[in-house]
Amino acid sequence: MVNVNNSMFSKEEISHFVESENLKCQSIQLPYDIKTPGDTRNEAITAMLGELKKSQTVLDIGCSLGLFCLTALQQGARKATGLELNSNRLRQANKIADFLQLKPNYLRLDIEKYPELEKHDIVLCLKILDHLKNPIGVLRHLALLTNDTLIIDAKQFEISDIKPWAKLLHKQSKLHGLLRRLVPTALKGSPSAFAIPYSPKSSLRSFFFSPAAIDAILSTHMKLFSSVEIKPSGSNKQCFIVCKKLKIKHLILVSGMCGSGKSTFIENAISKGRSPELGLHQERLTIVSGNSLRNKKLSDSFSHQCNNTVIFHYDILSINRYEINSYDRDASLDILTCAEKVSAVILAPDQDTLLNQMLSSESKDGYLSSYHSELRSNYQSLDWLRETSLDWLDFLKKRLSNSDCNFYEYNGTADQLRLTPGADSLRETIEERYSA
């Protein structure tokens, strides 16, 4: 509750503001027991407060009058930032914050322009998803801005949301009533998405996603959340999706081409500990591969949100084998952004060693699959080996540019792990190794 004795404004000033402004979006408690008219958003508030811890930061997309930012600050949040495009609402929100002597950070920014913002512990995406032109792109951007928890509400699709259907069925009251009950129920458990005509008459709503569709987007198309939980609300027209961001204290990325010795390195690293070089510790050690991450939800590979040490076995040729064609499009590599520290171990044996190890590990009774036969041909080209290795290194340099990262080179013949000065130094080594 607001302490009216500390208010810098008179009751008359606040009453006049509430009566003279259009404040029907959100119900906010003001001094002198005055409230703005509008929705209390109690269920959404409860969802946020259920995740909020003291001194965390909150980002609210489409903050309107600032209800969630203000509530977060009142409940111990260290910082609350709200994004709102409507300039008049921003003016009103700032005035309301003044009444409450709170200092949220309100910004007039379009989230669909993917503004550069600092990460926040809790990110709220409430009542805006169906208004966006590129909702999936925004969900990914918000996932990357989330430190701990992303909360989304999903409005249930109804027949009345498609105006032509509603008009057609209006006279068929029994059929209309039956479809209004059956369609949302049938679609709720399926990963369904609908695009509707984009117009002001539909409040600029463009897309509807079932809860299962949002779960599929966040759990399988991205590899950033250790859990995605669908929480029903008291209203059958919506639910909340609470997503917990995967956290890795130390990620050891072991990468190389097929036959470079990644599996052997990992086996030896675990048996020997390699603590002096990598700081590899056994507590809560998790081992994952690119294939396992692509084919499953993260929750199948990570039983906890917070993880101490993770070894990531990555074949740099997999983007071509599975026609992903770009490292930026490989969802398994999302987990690089979830790590506090990355140790990137690059395995790039000389041409003869690489070719012999690939043939030894992949041939079955002297027979190679068509894929590995093609690799045998590619491995005989130094230019191909050089360009493929450098393409991967350039990606890592860019993706890990803002990370605490060390680059290592491993010499399998001598069983030596060398800490390099950085990606550029490793690039020089690879260029020299794979030159005629």
Side-chain angles (χ1 to χ4, degrees), residues 315-359:
D315 182 347
I316 69 173
L317 303 180
S318 57
I319 59 168
N320 298 323
R321 185 175 190 179
Y322 301 112
E323 298 186 354
I324 302 171
N325 302 321
S326 166
Y327 296 117
D328 286 308
R329 295 177 61 85
D330 188 350
S332 73
L333 293 169
D334 282 349
I335 70 166
L336 295 178
T337 65
C338 300
E340 293 181 23
K341 177 183 178 181
V342 177
S343 294
V345 181
I346 308 296
L347 281 73
D350 62 73
Q351 183 183 33
D352 289 340
T353 301
L354 182 62
L355 180 58
N356 291 333
Q357 289 182 168
M358 189 275 289
L359 294 175

Side-chain angles (χ1 to χ4, degrees), residues 15 32 43 49 53 93 144 157 159 214 264 308 340 414:
S15 294
Y32 309 106
E43 286 191 321
L49 296 182
K53 300 177 181 63
L144 294 173
F157 174 79
I159 288 293
I214 297 177
T264 301
N308 188 12
E340 293 181 23

